[in-house]
Each structure stands twice: as C-alpha cells, then as structure tokens.
Amino acid sequence: MAFSLGSGETTYSLDQASTSRQQIARLYNNIESISKKIINLQGEEGEVVSQTTVKLRLHIRAYAISYIQDCSATLPPLPDEKKFAQLIREREEERKRRVQIQLQDSQERARQQQQLPIKKKAVPAVSHSDSSRLGQQKAAPSGWLPGDVDSQQVMDDDPLVQQMNIIRGYLKQAKQAEKYDEVEMLEENLRQLKIQFQQQ
C-alpha cells in the first residue's frame, strides 16, 4: 500500500493507509501488553516460580520487543497530502508521455508497412525484442512488458488496422495481468488510432 501511494497510484487513499497504520500500531501495543503480562505472571499462593520459567518469560518479552522494533523500523513512510498530489501529477504526465511515444511508434510502423509490397504486409508475431524496442512507454514502473501477439490476430492489408489489432492484443494481456495504468494507456492509444483510421 505504501509502495503504491509512493508511486502515485490511486488504488488506495492516504486515509486507508493511515487507518491500516493505526491498526498495525494497535497490534504492536497488544503484543507488548501481552508479553508484559506474561513476565509478571504469578504462581499459585505458595508456589515458587522456577528459574527456567522466569528465563522463558524473559525470552518471550525480549523477543516481543525485538519483533515490534524490527517491524516498526521496516515500515515504509507514507507521503503527505501535498507530496501525494505531486506524485499523482507526475504519474499522469508520465502516462501521457508513454501514450504519445507509443502513438508515434505506431504511426512509424504503419508508415513502414505502407512502403512494403501488398503481399508482404502480413505482420509477424510481435516478439519481446519488438516490445523492448518500444522502450519505456510500454513498461510499467514494475517492469511489466506485453508478450507476443499472434500474427494471425493482427494480419490485415491496412497498416492502421494491424496496429489496432496489436494494441488490442497488448490490452488483453494488460487486463489479465491487472496492470490498470497500462490498460488506460493502451485504451487511449487505441482510441487515437481509431480516430486516425476514421479520418483516412
């Protein structure tokens, strides 16, 4: 959740993250309180607590304190509202940049296809090397890239139709991978290609 917020994603809200932090803090308090009660346990009247039992209780208490300290130290910080708003803006700008670069790449591929003889316009399967050539515009912050697209699904004499079919293949993969930012980016790219196609 903290990583998502720190990346400018809006899957979670700051309020949700703060609530989760409060719940975690209460759990830590419960652990500390229980370990304290354990170390202060008294035996029945007249019963002498053995040294082994005392040592065990001390170990439980020490482990509980150590666990709380370790977990607290590894909790990533949450951005404040101002920083979060900035991260959202930056993520949106990056998304728009990727859409623009991807559109330019699609236009270039369409132009190259138009220069080929008609009989050679069938598009082969799009490989990972082709995907990598597109650069960061198809890569999510997590490093996700679309896989191969079946050539039988993209073959068409019209280069723009080919590009739209390729984008549809990427879109299907992004939805299956639950990469919602990439879904939005690819849908925008597909929409612009449709506009170009209608203007032909």
Side-chain angles (χ1 to χ4, degrees):
M1 188 178 291
F3 176 80
S4 175
L5 293 172
S7 299
E9 296 179 353
T10 54
T11 306
Y12 307 102
S13 69
L14 283 176
D15 287 341
Q16 287 176 305
S18 296
T19 299
S20 294
R21 285 295 172 91
Q22 292 171 5
Q23 292 173 343
I24 291 173
R26 284 195 292 269
L27 290 174
Y28 288 166
N29 288 334
N30 288 339
I31 292 172
E32 194 277 335
S33 177
I34 292 171
S35 69
K36 189 174 183 179
K37 289 179 180 179
I38 289 174
I39 203 171
N40 291 325
L41 282 174
Q42 300 294 327
E44 296 181 1
E45 185 175 354
E47 180 183 357
V48 178
V49 179
S50 68
Q51 288 299 313
T52 302
T53 301
V54 172
K55 288 181 180 180
L56 177 60
R57 292 176 180 178
L58 287 171
H59 282 308
I60 292 173
R61 173 69 171 170
Y63 180 82
I65 296 299
S66 175
Y67 174 79
I68 293 171
Q69 291 175 342
D70 290 344
C71 291
S72 298
T74 56
L75 281 176
L78 297 176
D80 57 28
E81 291 186 4
K82 183 177 180 180
K83 179 64 175 179
F84 186 46
Q86 177 186 344
L87 291 170
I88 292 175
R89 289 194 300 270
E90 291 175 353
R91 188 178 183 86
E92 178 62 17
E93 290 171 359
E94 175 63 16
R95 185 191 67 81
K96 290 180 179 178
R97 185 187 71 83
R98 295 204 310 267
V99 168
Q100 184 61 34
I101 294 175
Q102 190 180 57
L103 180 59
Q104 291 172 355
D105 181 83
S106 297
Q107 292 171 338
E108 175 62 20
R109 294 183 67 179
R111 184 188 66 78
Q112 293 174 358
Q113 289 292 330
Q114 288 174 338
Q115 295 175 353
L116 295 175
I118 298 298
K119 64 180 181 179
K120 294 184 179 180
K121 283 187 177 179
V123 179
V126 179
S127 66
H128 283 292
S129 60
D130 293 327
S131 298
S132 298
R133 187 176 60 81
L134 300 182
Q136 295 179 347
Q137 66 271 20
K138 288 189 182 68
S142 60
W144 180 83
L145 283 172
D148 294 351
V149 177
D150 188 348
S151 61
Q152 297 300 318
Q153 296 178 359
V154 301
M155 290 176 61
D156 194 280
D157 288 341
D158 191 310
L160 273 180
V161 175
Q162 293 175 6
Q163 293 306 309
M164 287 190 287
N165 289 338
I166 291 172
I167 295 300
R168 289 188 182 101
Y170 290 156
L171 187 56
K172 181 179 180 180
Q173 294 178 36
K175 288 180 178 179
Q176 291 174 342
E178 298 183 353
K179 298 296 181 180
Y180 301 114
D181 282 349
E182 279 55 47
V183 168
E184 185 177 356
M185 178 190 71
L186 291 166
E187 286 177 341
E188 173 64 18
N189 187 253
L190 183 60
R191 185 185 69 81
Q192 294 188 34
L193 287 173
K194 287 179 178 178
I195 292 174
Q196 288 186 40
F197 180 74
Q198 293 170 355
Q199 293 175 346
Q200 287 187 139

